[in-house]
């Protein structure tokens, strides 16, 4: 007999107590929630089953408290399915229709990337919609419809005619067919839109048992640190000398890098027409490598020939920091000439010999620039020189980096999920690899044209057989781990869906690959050393995240519009923030959102920095050599390379959920988050661009690129989303600090909203700090260091002595610079690190101190005010 207090018995009790009335039902062609019709004209072949009738929670591998939580709310959700006359490998069916009802959705606009979309009808949905939330004001609730995985099929929503919501289920293989679905979509209702996300994805996690929630996993060590990614500095020309120069520039400026990502360009790749054992030569721009394949698991020649100690001593090698930009500029000239030739041919030109001659000349100039690079990093390959292997290659390089730059905790490298963009070259390794042609799902027909997709389809993917996925990832990662690499950024993840025909379909292929990847992460990178990227599709989240705990939530940082709009340098930055903010709603339940890198010298760098300051994830940049704004960086990063990170991931405020902050001419993007001792609202003007479904790309809306007015209120912060924050949300009065305006305000929950006007591509950060009554007269609240964007995040500890006589406030602050607090009266005395100090107090309540950065104390100062 099961002991009375055992977990199994506890779950059974919850199951037995789950007698609450089911919220959904399908009757007479209507899907209703608590009696309110939600979807009309539901086809007769569509079914609905309550959660408890489909999912046996006792069979779930989820932690007992999670299972109990899901079961207690199981009456709020259920599964939709449908039948088809004939078995097929892809099926399209209506779930019903809705009109005149606000919705928020996420859809894939590229194979790899997804973003927000709003509308009022099922016909307003976009192709490859990953989920939709319907506003149900009749019952002050929200309903979510999530296409999920069933058997060998994955699904997505699509627009239908006359308001119909279509569900498209596909296996990715003509050999995997069905005519029946029992649970291909999940629906859930909640009164709180943020609870809705947690409840719905918790239920799906318990049901599928193929992924884990963020709350079940550990985070990578880089999550609260500052880093540099090499991509925009070098593209494919990345090499040890350039990386060393880049890390040194940060150290020389007094900013420690705590992690480094060596992006694409370090691997051993070549093309099918190249010598099997030689690296492809002189690759520069992204796109040139997309048909290349991995031919060995060790680093490419540029890193393999590195000799330990090359940058130490009187004979240390030098590096011209201008070289990467010179190579990139010349490669762009070649690219433009090739495009001019192709355009001429498409226009009917018969003689393009002049352009061909120009192309050949430019290519030769580029080759000559590579030949004239100067001194080598070694006198020969260590494999033939008799030197110890540890003295050469990536291992020697990472050892030298850590020897010289003591704070560099993590060195990560980039690779594609299939090895390289084009996979693994057949016959080049011990693994069974073959080039598989790519089949793009018809569900992606409505997505944005993409050079990466075109190139991958052109070359196919050298796919390692899924039965060898364990060996494949361990072969790559074990060498990297032995070479001092502590993690990987894995890109190009959703190529698997292109090549699943012969491998049991996309679900089974993905399971094999993600299982192999998870095992390797556990063995080689402590289970957490990964950022997932180009992964924003439900296949990945429902099948690939048992181990992965952090991933990108936005498209790439684009410093200019690739389609040529000169104003794209501005409006693309707001688009990036929208991607990140709204994707975090669902991805944040499964992985830690990563808002990606940016360039600190970009015209909109400050705009990006403001969002990274409160996003709750890591901060890293992709500056070119010599292209740094260290004054800006130091508003984000402490000298020791850590960051004043918010306590959780940032999300859009409730009043933004069904708005269009990109091109409705009226809405700001507002983000809420918590610090340890206060709440934060970031207001960003993202207006000026957005998705055009007819053109199938993101375009500028110049008429919207203008100042936008809005309001901010303390109740915009969802205090109940954190146990630690609930008490702060119950304060009677708050001090609000406006970072950009450098203004202090006093508000209560009953105060009118704070009115604000935000200029295009700018922002304001509002820090809400509960006001404390000290003694009979004093009112006090710490604000933090105002020379940091997230001032409240610098506060480590707050404690109060609440007595009639000599009440006091003790604060531990991390960082050096301008400390600000609010006090309605001047303190009697003040101590900083045990020594009496003289703060500056003014009648508007501002209480200021200048704090030092004390290295021996990890930058933390003890401040004591006595009133």
């Amino acid at each position: 007999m099961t002991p009375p207090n055992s977990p199994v018995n506890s779950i059974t009790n919850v199951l037995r107590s789950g007698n609450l009335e089911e919220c959904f039902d399908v009757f007479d062609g209507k899907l209703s929630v608590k009696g309110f019709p939600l979807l009309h004209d539901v086809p007769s072949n569509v079914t609905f089953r309550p959660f408890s009738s489909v999912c046996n929670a006792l069979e779930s591998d989820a932690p007992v408290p999670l299972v109990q939580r899901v079961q207690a709310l199981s009456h709020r959700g259920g599964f939709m399915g449908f039948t088809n006359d004939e078995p097929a490998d892809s099926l399209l069916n209506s779930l019903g229709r809705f009109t005149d009802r606000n919705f928020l959705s996420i859809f894939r606009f590229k194979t790899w990337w997804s973003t927000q979309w709003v509308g009022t009808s099922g016909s307003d949905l976009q192709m490859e919609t990953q989920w939709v939330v319907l506003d149900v004001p009749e019952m002050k609730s929200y309903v979510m419809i999530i296409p999920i995985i069933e058997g060998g099929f994955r699904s997505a929503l699509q627009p239908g005619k006359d308001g119909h919501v279509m569900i498209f289920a596909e296996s990715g293989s003509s050999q995997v067919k069905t005519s029946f679905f029992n649970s291909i979509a999940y629906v859930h209702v909640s009164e709180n839109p943020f609870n809705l996300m947690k409840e719905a994805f918790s239920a799906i996690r318990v049901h599928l048992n193929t992924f884990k929630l963020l709350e079940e996993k550990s985070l990578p060590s880089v999550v609260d640190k500052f880093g540099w990614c090499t991509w925009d500095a070098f593209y494919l020309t990345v090499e040890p000398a350039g990386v060393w120069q880049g890390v040194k520039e940060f150290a020389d400026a007094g900013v420690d890098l705590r992690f480094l990502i060596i992006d694409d360009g370090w691997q051993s790749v070549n093309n099918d027409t190249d010598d099997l054992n030689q690296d492809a030569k002189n690759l520069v721009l992204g796109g040139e490598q997309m048909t290349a394949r991995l031919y060995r698991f060790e680093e490419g020649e540029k890193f393999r020939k590195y000799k330990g100690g090359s940058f130490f001593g009187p004979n240390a090698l030098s590096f011209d920091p201008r070289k990467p930009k010179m190579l990139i500029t010349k490669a762009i000239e070649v690219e433009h000439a090739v495009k001019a030739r192709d355009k001429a041919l498409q226009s009917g030109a018969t003689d393009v010999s002049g352009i061909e001659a120009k192309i050949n000349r430019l290519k030769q100039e580029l080759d000559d620039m590579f030949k004239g690079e100067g001194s080598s990093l070694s006198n020969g390959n260590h494999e033939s020189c008799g030197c110890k292997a540890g003295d050469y290659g990536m291992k020697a390089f990472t050892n030298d980096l850590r020897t010289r730059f003591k704070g560099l905790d993590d060195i990560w490298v980039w690779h594609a999920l299939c090895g390289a963009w084009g996979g693994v070259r057949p016959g080049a390794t011990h693994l069974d690899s073959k080039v598989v042609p790519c089949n793009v799902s018809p569900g992606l027909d409505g997505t944005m044209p993409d050079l990466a997709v075109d190139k991958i389809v052109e070359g196919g993917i050298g796919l390692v057989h899924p039965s060898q996925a364990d060996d494949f990832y361990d072969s790559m990662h074990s060498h990297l781990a032995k070479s001092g690499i502590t993690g990987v950024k894995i890109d190009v993840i959703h190529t698997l869906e292109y090549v699943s025909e012969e491998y049991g379909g996309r679900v089974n292929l993905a399971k094999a690959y993600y299982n192999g990847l998870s095992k390797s992460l556990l063995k080689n990178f402590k289970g957490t050393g990964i950022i997932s990227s180009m992964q924003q599709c439900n296949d990945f989240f429902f099948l690939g995240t048992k181990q992965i705990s952090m991933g990108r939530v936005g498209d790439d940082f684009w410093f200019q519009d690739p389609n040529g709009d000169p104003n794209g340098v501005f409006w693309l930055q707001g688009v990036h923030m929208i991607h990140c903010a709204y994707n975090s709603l669902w991805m944040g339940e499964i992985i830690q959102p990563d808002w990606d890198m940016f360039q600190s010298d970009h015209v909109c760098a400050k705009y990006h920095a403001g969002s990274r300051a409160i996003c709750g994830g890591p901060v890293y940049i992709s500056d070119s050599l010599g292209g740094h704004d260290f004054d800006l960086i130091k508003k984000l990063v402490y000298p020791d390379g850590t960051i004043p990170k918010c306590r959780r991931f940032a999300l859009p405020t409730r009043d933004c959920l069904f708005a269009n902050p990109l091109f409705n001419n009226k809405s700001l993007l507002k983000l809420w988050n918590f610090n340890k001792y206060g709440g934060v609202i970031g207001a960003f003007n993202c207006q000026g661009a957005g998705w055009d479904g007819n053109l199938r790309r993101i375009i500028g809306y110049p008429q919207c690129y203008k100042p936008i007015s809005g309001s901010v209120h303390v109740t915009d912060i969802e205090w109940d989303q954190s146990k630690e924050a609930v008490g702060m949300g119950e304060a009677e009065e708050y001090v609000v600090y406006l970072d950009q305006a450098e203004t202090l305000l006093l508000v209560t929950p009953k105060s009118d909203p704070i009115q604000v006007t935000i200029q295009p591509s700018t922002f304001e950060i509002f820090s809400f700090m509960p006001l404390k009554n000290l003694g009979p007269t004093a009112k006090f609240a710490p604000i933090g260091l105002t020379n940091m964007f997230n001032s409240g995040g610098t506060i480590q500890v707050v404690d109060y002595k609440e007595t009639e006589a000599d009440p006091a406030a003790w604060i531990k602050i991390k960082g050096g610079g301008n400390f600000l607090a609010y006090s309605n009266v001047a303190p009697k005395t003040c101590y900083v690190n045990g020594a009496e100090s003289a703060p500056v107090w003014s009648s508007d309540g501002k209480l200021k101190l200048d704090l030092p950065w004390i290295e021996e104390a990890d930058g933390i100062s003890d401040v004591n005010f006595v009133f």
Side-chain angles (χ1 to χ4, degrees):
M1 176 178 288
T2 304
N5 294 321
S6 74
V8 172
N9 195 67
S10 299
I11 295 174
T12 303
N13 289 338
V14 172
L15 286 167
R16 289 172 179 168
S17 65
N19 296 321
L20 295 172
E21 184 177 352
E22 300 292 343
C23 292
F24 291 94
D25 69 87
V26 174
F27 179 73
D28 196 24
K30 297 183 183 70
L31 173 69
S32 298
V33 54
K34 297 183 180 179
F36 292 95
L38 194 69
L39 298 178
H40 297 265
D41 296 334
V42 176
S44 58
N45 69 330
V46 171
T47 60
F48 173 81
R49 291 175 173 83
F51 180 90
S52 57
S53 70
V54 174
C55 177
N56 183 355
L58 290 172
E59 297 178 354
S60 177
D61 64 2
V64 170
L66 174 56
V67 174
Q68 292 176 330
R69 191 175 76 213
V70 167
Q71 199 60 39
L73 299 173
S74 62
H75 63 290
R76 294 185 180 182
F79 298 94
M80 299 187 77
F82 67 91
T83 57
N84 196 55
D85 292 338
E86 298 291 335
D89 58 18
S90 64
L91 303 95
L92 183 67
N93 204 89
S94 172
L95 295 179
R97 65 173 181 85
F98 74 90
T99 56
D100 301 319
R101 186 177 294 283
N102 289 332
F103 75 75
L104 165 66
S105 68
I106 292 289
F107 75 99
R108 277 205 288 174
F109 68 94
K110 287 186 179 180
T111 295
W112 346 94
W113 307 122
S114 61
T115 195
Q116 170 252 29
W117 189 251
V118 294
T120 59
S121 160
S123 298
D124 294 337
L125 292 169
Q126 297 296 303
M127 298 289 284
E128 273 297 303
T129 290
Q130 306 294 286
W131 52 260
V132 61
V133 172
L134 305 177
D135 188 14
V136 191
E138 310 95 292
M139 50 184 288
K140 297 180 180 178
S141 294
Y142 307 86
V143 170
M144 192 171 195
I145 304 174
I146 311 173
I148 60 172
I149 306 286
E150 184 174 357
F153 285 71
R154 60 78 64 173
S155 60
L157 302 179
Q158 296 182 3
K161 295 181 179 179
D162 302 320
H164 275 271
V165 179
M166 310 300 293
I167 189 164
F168 178 64
E170 58 184 328
S171 71
S173 173
S174 60
Q175 303 168 33
V176 181
K177 298 181 179 181
T178 193
S179 61
F180 171 80
F181 293 106
N182 189 46
S183 53
I184 197 63
Y186 179 70
V187 295
H188 195 90
V189 61
S190 182
E191 295 80 15
N192 182 308
F194 304 101
N195 291 347
L196 178 70
M197 294 289 165
K198 179 172 288 295
E199 293 170 11
F201 285 101
S202 295
I204 296 169
R205 183 266 179 265
V206 169
H207 168 62
L208 290 178
N209 281 320
T210 53
F211 69 100
K212 291 183 179 179
L213 300 177
L214 178 60
E215 66 186 63
E216 301 178 69
K217 295 176 284 195
S218 299
L219 291 175
S221 57
V222 303
V223 71
D224 58 356
K225 297 175 182 176
F226 174 65
W228 177 53
C229 176
T230 64
W231 178 244
D232 286 316
F234 306 102
Y235 296 138
L236 303 174
T237 72
V238 64
E239 58 174 304
V243 175
W244 186 277
Q245 173 68 25
V247 178
K248 183 176 181 294
E249 288 178 2
F250 289 97
D252 290 347
V255 178
D256 281 353
L257 285 178
R258 299 299 291 270
F259 70 94
L260 165 70
I261 300 175
I262 302 174
D263 212 295
D264 198 359
W266 68 272
Q267 293 176 293
S268 297
V269 300
N270 57 30
N271 294 294
D272 293 342
T273 56
D274 292 336
D275 184 309
L276 188 62
N277 298 307
Q278 294 293 322
D279 288 356
K281 302 299 182 184
N282 302 350
L283 299 178
V284 181
L285 301 178
E288 297 175 11
Q289 85 288 30
M290 289 178 179
T291 55
R293 312 190 201 283
L294 203 64
Y295 75 90
R296 60 186 291 169
F297 298 125
E298 295 79 17
E299 58 272 21
E301 183 183 6
K302 292 181 293 184
F303 285 84
R304 196 163 63 245
K305 70 182 183 181
Y306 177 81
K307 182 178 180 180
S310 292
F311 301 116
F312 294 103
N315 298 318
L317 294 176
S318 61
F319 181 77
D320 183 355
R322 299 171 300 172
K323 186 181 79 171
K325 283 192 175 181
M326 292 167 62
L327 291 170
I328 290 168
T329 300
K330 184 60 66 176
I332 290 173
E333 288 185 60
V334 175
E335 183 180 67
H336 287 172
V338 170
K339 287 181 178 179
R341 178 199 62 193
D342 294 344
K343 184 176 180 181
L345 290 171
Q346 291 170 4
S347 301
T350 57
D351 183 6
V352 292
S353 57
I355 304 178
E356 290 284 8
K358 180 179 180 180
I359 292 171
N360 292 333
R361 175 177 57 80
L362 291 171
K363 285 184 175 179
Q364 185 60 55
E365 291 173 358
L366 181 61
D367 289 344
D368 291 343
M369 291 171 68
F370 275 104
K371 291 176 184 176
E373 285 183 351
S375 59
S376 173
L377 292 177
S378 73
N379 295 320
N381 193 307
H382 72 266
E383 294 171 350
S384 60
C385 74
C387 301
K388 293 181 180 179
D391 295 337
Y392 283 84
M394 187 68 83
K395 183 176 182 179
F397 182 53
T398 61
N399 182 64
D400 283 358
L401 281 169
R402 290 192 172 96
T403 299
R404 169 64 177 81
F405 306 104
K406 300 297 185 183
L408 190 57
D409 302 320
D410 286 285
I411 303 172
W412 292 16
V413 296
W414 176 102
H415 73 75
L417 184 71
C418 293
W421 285 85
V424 176
R425 189 169 175 180
T429 72
H430 68 285
L431 297 174
D432 176 16
S433 170
K434 78 171 188 175
V435 177
V436 180
C438 296
N439 297 311
V440 180
S441 165
L444 292 168
D445 288 347
T447 58
M448 187 173 175
D450 189 348
L451 171 66
V453 174
D454 295 342
K455 286 288 187 179
I456 292 170
V457 170
E458 173 191 327
I461 295 173
L463 190 72
V464 171
H465 195 279
S467 65
Q468 295 182 313
D470 293 16
D471 191 358
F472 170 47
Y473 287 113
D474 188 55
S475 294
M476 284 195 291
H477 294 165
S478 61
H479 170 74
L480 290 171
K482 291 173 185 175
S483 300
I485 300 300
T486 55
V488 284
K489 172 188 172 183
I490 299 187
D491 231 335
V492 209
I493 284 179
H494 253 277
T495 46
L496 281 184
E497 67 178 85
Y498 296 165
V499 290
S500 58
E501 169 63 31
E502 300 177 29
Y503 301 100
R506 59 195 285 176
V507 172
N508 289 327
L509 178 60
K511 284 181 177 180
Y513 261 68
Y514 294 139
N515 185 55
L517 175 59
S518 294
K519 290 178 181 177
S520 182
L521 292 173
L522 280 166
K523 177 187 173 186
N524 297 298
F525 300 131
K526 299 181 179 179
T528 60
I530 180 173
I531 295 174
S532 54
S533 181
M534 300 177 72
Q535 85 299 8
Q536 294 169 8
C537 180
N538 54 10
D539 300 46
F540 169 78
F541 286 96
F542 293 151
L543 298 172
T545 54
K546 276 197 170 183
Q547 196 61 44
I548 296 172
S549 60
M550 188 161 77
R552 289 268 303 279
V553 289
D555 188 1
D556 291 332
F557 162 73
W558 290 95
F559 61 86
Q560 62 186 13
D561 179 23
N563 294 306
D565 185 340
N567 292 318
V569 68
F570 298 103
W571 56 251
L572 269 169
Q573 316 319 318
V575 172
H576 182 93
M577 291 182 194
I578 295 297
H579 296 336
C580 294
Y582 288 87
N583 276 326
S584 293
L585 284 164
W586 68 300
M587 296 180 189
E589 297 300 329
I590 303 171
I591 59 171
Q592 166 65 46
D594 166 22
W595 280 51
D596 195 21
M597 57 206 178
F598 67 101
Q599 294 171 332
S600 72
D601 66 345
H602 188 271
V603 65
C604 292
K606 186 177 180 181
Y607 185 51
H608 276 281
S611 69
R612 301 311 190 278
I614 63 169
C615 74
V619 174
Y620 58 115
I621 56 179
S622 190
D623 287 356
S624 298
L625 300 183
H628 315 290
D629 182 342
F630 284 113
D631 289 338
L632 181 73
I633 291 170
K634 290 175 182 179
K635 289 180 69 66
L636 283 168
V637 184
Y638 295 124
D640 66 358
T642 60
I643 57 175
K645 190 176 81 70
C646 286
R647 305 284 280 183
R648 55 164 292 149
F649 49 90
L651 291 176
T653 57
R654 198 175 295 212
D655 58 344
C656 288
L657 293 180
F658 300 100
N660 177 1
L662 277 175
F663 58 98
N664 71 357
N665 247 326
K666 61 182 181 181
S667 297
L668 296 170
L669 170 66
K670 295 191 298 181
L671 303 173
W672 62 270
N673 210 334
F674 306 121
N675 288 311
K676 189 175 181 180
Y677 293 101
V680 182
I681 295 286
F684 296 83
N685 185 345
C686 300
Q687 294 281 335
W691 176 252
D692 186 306
N694 294 320
L695 296 177
R696 293 194 299 129
R697 64 184 178 90
I698 293 168
I699 64 170
Y701 288 86
Q703 70 276 18
C704 301
Y705 193 75
K706 64 180 186 181
I708 299 293
S709 296
S711 63
V712 171
H713 197 269
V714 64
T715 55
D716 287 336
I717 301 171
E718 301 285 335
W719 300 100
D720 65 349
Q721 292 300 300
S722 168
K723 291 179 181 178
E724 296 78 13
V726 169
M728 294 189 290
E730 296 171 348
E732 295 180 358
E733 194 170 10
Y734 298 85
V735 179
V736 189
Y737 179 69
L738 281 64
D739 173 76
Q740 295 296 286
E742 299 181 355
T743 300
L744 279 182
L745 301 172
L746 293 177
V747 300
T748 73
K750 296 181 180 180
S751 295
D752 290 336
I754 303 167
Q755 300 301 316
V756 62
T757 297
I758 309 291
Q759 297 299 313
S761 300
T762 64
F763 67 97
E764 182 60 270
I765 295 175
F766 301 77
S767 294
F768 288 82
M769 309 300 292
L771 195 61
K772 186 73 173 179
N773 292 317
L774 293 176
T777 58
K779 292 185 175 184
F780 179 86
I783 302 299
L785 294 181
T786 58
N787 49 292
M788 308 293 281
F789 285 118
N790 183 23
S791 56
T794 65
I795 303 172
Q796 309 296 298
V797 176
V798 177
D799 197 9
Y800 295 106
K801 177 186 175 185
E802 301 179 58
T803 58
E804 287 292 320
D806 298 328
W810 285 278
I811 307 109
K812 286 184 180 291
I813 300 289
K814 182 165 183 176
N818 307 317
F819 173 77
L820 176 67
Y822 171 83
S823 179
N824 66 326
V825 295
K828 292 180 182 178
T829 54
C830 170
Y831 299 91
V832 176
N833 299 319
E836 190 167 350
S837 181
V840 177
W841 179 83
S842 55
S843 59
D844 60 0
K846 289 183 178 180
L847 181 60
K848 299 178 181 180
L849 274 172
D850 186 37
L851 297 181
W853 172 269
I854 303 174
E855 190 70 32
E856 297 75 19
D858 296 324
I860 294 177
S861 292
D862 291 294
V863 179
N864 181 13
F865 295 105
V866 180
F867 294 92

